Amino acid sequence: MITRSEILETNKMIEDSNLDVRTITMGINLMDCADSDIDKFNKKVYQKITTCAKDLVKVGDDLAKQFGVPVVHKRISVTPISIAAAGCKTDSYVSVAHTLDKAAKAVGVNFIGGFSALVQKGCTKSDEILINSIPQALSETDVVCSSINVGTSRNGMNMDAIKKMGEIILQTAELTKEQDSLGCAKLVVFCNAVEDNPFMAGAFHGVGEKDCVINVGVSGPGVVKRALEEVREADFETLCETVKKTAFKITRVGQLIAQEASKRLQVPFGIIDLSLAPTPLIGDSIAEIFQEMGLEEAGAPGTTAALAILNDNVKKGGVMASSYVGGLSGAFIPVSEDHGMIVAAEKGALTLEKLEAMTCVCSVGLDMIAVPGDTSAATISGIIADEAAIGMINNKTTAVRLIPVTGKKVGDTVEFGGLLGYAPVMPVNTYSCERFISRGGRIPAPIHSFKN
């Protein structure tokens, strides 16, 4: 039983350390909208989303007022469209993206995720249609997010899909070049994607989920930093215990909001994602936690160890505070969304290669990284393949959200606005991997995947 006193205990965290509930995300199953006529399918999709989520924003705002906890975003995730729309006789799903955008705006949410496909072992015709629709879909909509899962530890890596996604990312960048290639900020390529992720751009409603659920993502990098200030000269055992205790308190706030949202919306509670998701605000940064741990800048020797400590102890503390923990749950390192990461990248302390090393122990992967617009499709695919390999071999979720900014070069700065922040354009390795990527086919699953 969560009491009001537990929320009151967090008031100082909210006022002084930017504690918030980053998102209440409603997952909606669209399988019952199936129709061979895409116009009828779109009508069913619009009707179901606007019916299920009609009170989502109001409930989120009411909970924020009642408990004094900011609820930053209200979002929707839907069944991967390549699955839900597979019966439609069409050669494009752009109209579906327009429908999702229209429905999301009608109910007032910030983002809708699920313009997605799961192609870790191969592509169906519907998967191919969806992937080919991504550039136009993301250039013509405002709040639609897309994700493609190209590998798993059980199935290996679909290198044909990885090659294709390098090309798709460049096409998306070109079609949204007037907004500094913003479309790519709404597109993520996964290995081992989870089915209950409330965070964009990778959220979709898994086929094993209930018809409709409420997932909540909490966040509090500033709270952790403030707690570590109290143990500045302590040993690592004390540091770890401090992170665990703080994560417990943060997660309890999310648990209360999730339970109340579930009750008021009459929708089952799914999971709490206890990831530390930073913002561009000073004092709400994962990189600043590293500095409090004793590193001069993010990217300095010891950064990967610091991130491992943070990620592990956030999970240990948070898992005891909620009945259902899921999603990604750990620490995010999106460059453009973290003030300290931005500064470190601008100074050259943080490089793409160091970020790749850090993704071995963080929640996701190479996230919100701006690269030169003339980066080749093969290079982007190579970066995706590297990240997918880390995920596949280590049995963890990894992802790539790269933004090749058309017309920009290393040293330029790109402004995305809002929670997406801004980013320096970072250099990439210019040696070619084109022959490697062009091999195609599928990389088999690692030997340790055979556990039956």
Side-chain angles (χ1 to χ4, degrees):
M1 178 67 180
I2 297 175
T3 66
R4 186 178 293 269
S5 64
E6 289 183 276
I7 290 298
L8 295 176
E9 183 186 359
T10 66
N11 279 348
K12 190 171 181 60
M13 296 182 188
I14 297 165
E15 294 170 1
D16 299 341
S17 307
N18 300 309
L19 174 64
D20 59 51
V21 169
R22 184 57 48 85
T23 176
I24 295 176
T25 300
M26 177 178 284
I28 301 174
N29 175 20
L30 299 183
M31 298 291 282
D32 57 354
C33 297
D35 202 294
S36 60
D37 185 320
I38 194 164
D39 291 330
K40 292 180 180 178
F41 173 77
N42 281 327
K43 288 179 181 177
K44 292 177 183 178
V45 167
Y46 182 85
Q47 180 65 33
K48 183 157 191 183
I49 292 172
T50 53
T51 299
C52 292
K54 61 183 174 60
D55 296 323
L56 178 60
V57 172
K58 181 181 183 301
V59 167
D61 290 342
D62 288 347
L63 289 172
K65 291 176 183 177
Q66 179 178 349
F67 295 109
V69 180
V71 179
V72 180
H73 273 189
K74 278 70 68 176
R75 301 168 178 171
I76 295 169
S77 64
V78 299
T79 307
I81 293 301
S82 71
I83 298 173
C88 296
K89 296 179 179 178
T90 182
D91 60 0
S92 171
Y93 291 151
V94 173
S95 67
V96 181
H98 283 290
T99 298
L100 296 177
D101 200 55
K102 181 181 176 183
K105 290 174 179 176
V107 297
V109 296
N110 303 95
F111 288 109
I112 184 166
F115 198 74
S116 306
L118 310 177
V119 298
Q120 57 268 16
K121 210 170 181 180
C123 290
T124 65
K125 180 63 175 176
S126 183
D127 294 329
E128 292 174 356
I129 292 171
L130 184 127
I131 290 171
N132 288 328
S133 299
I134 287 172
Q136 185 180 352
L138 296 185
S139 69
E140 295 180 358
T141 58
D142 297 314
V143 298
V144 173
C145 291
S146 179
S147 60
I148 305 296
N149 192 67
V150 296
T152 69
S153 296
R154 293 286 293 183
N155 296 296
M157 292 160 51
N158 183 347
M159 292 302 295
D160 291 325
I162 288 173
K163 180 177 186 294
K164 180 68 173 178
M165 288 312 300
E167 299 165 359
I168 291 295
I169 288 169
L170 277 187
Q171 292 171 27
T172 304
E174 178 64 24
L175 286 181
T176 57
K177 63 183 179 182
E178 299 303 322
Q179 296 84 41
D180 282 334
S181 302
L182 182 63
C184 296
K186 299 182 289 179
L187 172 60
V188 60
V189 183
F190 277 115
C191 178
N192 289 323
V194 297
E195 297 189 349
D196 55 6
N197 171 21
F199 287 103
M200 300 296 171
F204 62 87
H205 187 67
V207 294
E209 298 285 323
K210 296 178 181 178
D211 195 52
C212 188
V213 296
I214 286 293
N215 297 323
V216 168
V218 296
S219 181
V223 180
V224 174
K225 178 180 179 292
R226 182 63 62 89
L228 291 180
E229 290 174 358
E230 303 298 321
V231 294
R232 184 164 290 173
E233 304 303 324
D235 62 16
F236 281 109
E237 183 179 356
T238 303
L239 185 152
C240 292
E241 285 298 311
T242 301
V243 174
K244 282 195 291 186
K245 290 175 182 177
T246 305
F248 180 90
K249 293 179 181 179
I250 292 170
T251 306
R252 290 296 275 177
V253 175
Q255 176 79 357
L256 174 67
I257 297 297
Q259 288 179 339
E260 286 295 316
S262 172
K263 182 168 64 176
R264 296 183 190 190
L265 291 165
Q266 297 183 323
V267 172
F269 164 47
I271 57 94
I272 296 289
D273 187 319
L274 47 92
S275 295
L276 296 181
T279 72
L281 295 174
I282 296 174
D284 199 26
S285 161
I286 298 295
E288 291 175 8
I289 295 176
F290 297 156
Q291 291 175 312
E292 189 56 46
M293 286 181 174
L295 302 176
E296 184 177 1
E297 289 286 352
T303 300
T304 304
L307 181 56
I309 290 168
L310 182 62
N311 212 48
D312 185 54
N313 286 285
V314 164
K315 293 176 188 291
K316 286 175 178 174
V319 77
M320 297 299 293
S322 173
S323 51
Y324 297 106
V325 171
L328 298 164
S329 291
F332 289 170
I333 52 171
V335 174
S336 79
E337 299 174 13
D338 186 308
H339 172 76
M341 295 285 186
I342 295 166
V343 171
E346 289 174 335
K347 290 181 176 180
L350 193 61
T351 64
L352 198 60
E353 286 74 18
K354 184 59 177 178
L355 282 163
E356 182 181 307
M358 292 163 65
T359 62
C360 295
V361 296
C362 78
S363 283
V364 193
L366 296 173
D367 196 13
M368 286 302 292
I369 298 172
V371 298
D374 61 0
T375 304
S376 70
T379 295
I380 294 171
S381 295
I383 293 170
I384 293 170
D386 284 343
E387 275 300 297
I390 290 171
M392 177 183 71
I393 296 297
N394 292 288
N395 198 30
K396 72 180 294 294
T397 301
T398 54
V400 171
R401 189 162 45 150
L402 283 186
I403 306 166
V405 188
T406 304
K408 298 288 186 179
K409 60 184 184 301
V410 174
D412 291 339
T413 299
V414 188
E415 182 72 48
F416 299 118
L419 284 179
L420 297 178
Y422 71 96
V425 177
M426 300 178 69
V428 300
N429 191 313
T430 57
Y431 286 92
S432 176
C433 62
E434 188 163 357
R435 284 183 55 226
F436 176 79
I437 293 300
S438 295
R439 286 178 178 271
R442 183 160 60 93
I443 295 176
I447 189 65
H448 60 253
S449 69
F450 302 107
K451 294 182 178 179
N452 288 343

